[in-house]
Amino acid sequence: MRYYLYVSTTKVDMLYSQIPQKLLRRLAVEAKLDLKVVSLALQSPRPDTTTYDQLDLVEAYLERECDVSWMTEPTAWFRGEAALRVAGYGDADGPTLMTGFDGDTVVALIGSARHLIGHQASPEMRQLGFSGLPGLFRLLQDSPPEWERQFEVRSRGRMPSRGSITENVLRCAESLTVPPMYCDFLARQLLRDTVTRADGREVTIVVGTPLFVAMSDRVAEGEGA
């Protein structure tokens, strides 16, 4: 069982609807889903299955049909485990940014705050998407005012914008002060680049948009995690 922090229902719906019907039963068996889920997956309409049932089947399909890699050597779809610092709790109609380190790799996951578990926007609210590079670019250039208390800001006013998008991602990852949580995740890669830090050390920046983020069995220890 997973303790989910974030599930993109938009991505789940989009991907689940594309799985060929004939593969659903096989995927359900391979994923060791409950027999009830198997039968529901073969019935019409498909929405009879829950979001988590559909997520399990989408994940099984991606593992079977796609090259799902690790975050340090990401392909189009990649997994990871890291102590993530999450910014974006607040406005359910805003963005969320989750960042963490794995050696010389910095991962940044961009999504919509409404997909945070227990943080869903009301149906009448406008639905803006933040799961692409344009959304991340806008966020890094003009961060929400309420985010500033989550960062170690050394200048007055808004967080300064400078450099490339990957340099800004690194700056945000290094300045976030919210406590980290060890998480497992599966994400779609948006961007990968190498940045040289002020100390001369090169780091790889991997930007993705998550299908899901769940709490890991590991526990982050202290602020330096």
Side-chain angles (χ1 to χ4, degrees):
M1 295 178 67
R2 286 178 175 145
Y3 193 96
Y4 289 104
L5 299 177
Y6 179 101
V7 175
S8 175
T9 54
T10 302
K11 295 185 189 70
V12 171
D13 290 342
M14 174 182 64
L15 296 170
Y16 180 74
S17 64
Q18 297 178 63
I19 299 176
Q21 184 78 14
K22 63 182 180 180
L23 278 182
L24 282 176
R25 185 180 184 88
R26 185 184 305 171
L27 291 171
V29 171
E30 290 177 356
K32 299 180 181 179
L33 299 182
D34 188 275
L35 290 178
K36 180 181 178 182
V37 176
V38 178
S39 62
L40 286 175
L42 298 176
Q43 292 175 6
S44 181
R46 287 185 173 191
D48 287 341
T49 56
T50 70
T51 296
Y52 299 108
D53 295 334
Q54 293 178 14
L55 174 58
D56 285 340
L57 291 167
V58 167
E59 185 177 2
Y61 180 80
L62 292 175
E63 287 286 357
R64 179 187 177 89
E65 302 295 329
C66 302
D67 181 14
V68 180
S69 63
W70 192 249
M71 57 181 280
T72 53
E73 294 291 338
T75 51
W77 287 96
F78 64 93
R79 292 187 178 278
E81 180 183 25
L84 297 180
R85 299 183 190 271
V86 183
Y89 284 96
D91 185 2
D93 195 37
T96 183
L97 178 67
M98 294 166 266
T99 65
F101 294 80
D102 185 348
D104 290 331
T105 298
V106 179
V107 65
L109 305 177
I110 179 70
S112 300
R114 67 178 179 272
H115 296 311
L116 291 165
I117 301 302
H119 205 66
Q120 190 171 1
S122 59
E124 62 270 16
M125 290 184 68
R126 58 200 179 106
Q127 299 289 297
L128 298 178
F130 296 94
S131 294
L133 288 178
L136 177 61
F137 181 80
R138 291 196 307 270
L139 171 62
L140 294 175
Q141 294 295 312
D142 189 22
S143 61
E146 64 271 15
W147 280 37
E148 292 183 8
R149 64 179 179 272
Q150 302 178 61
F151 289 85
E152 181 184 355
V153 180
R154 295 184 175 87
S155 61
R156 299 181 61 184
R158 286 295 194 68
M159 288 195 311
S161 296
R162 64 177 187 274
S164 67
I165 188 170
T166 48
E167 290 172 333
N168 281 333
V169 167
L170 176 61
R171 178 174 52 85
C172 287
E174 292 178 328
S175 60
L176 261 174
T177 58
V178 292
M181 294 180 289
Y182 266 107
C183 298
D184 300 310
F185 53 85
L186 175 60
R188 181 67 162 83
Q189 184 182 169
L190 300 175
L191 176 67
R192 183 187 182 194
D193 199 5
T194 301
V195 174
T196 301
R197 298 173 55 173
D199 60 6
R201 175 184 168 193
E202 284 195 346
V203 294
T204 299
I205 309 296
V206 178
V207 179
T209 181
L211 179 63
F212 72 82
V213 179
M215 289 186 67
S216 169
D217 290 337
R218 299 177 63 187
V219 177
E221 298 179 1
E223 290 297 316

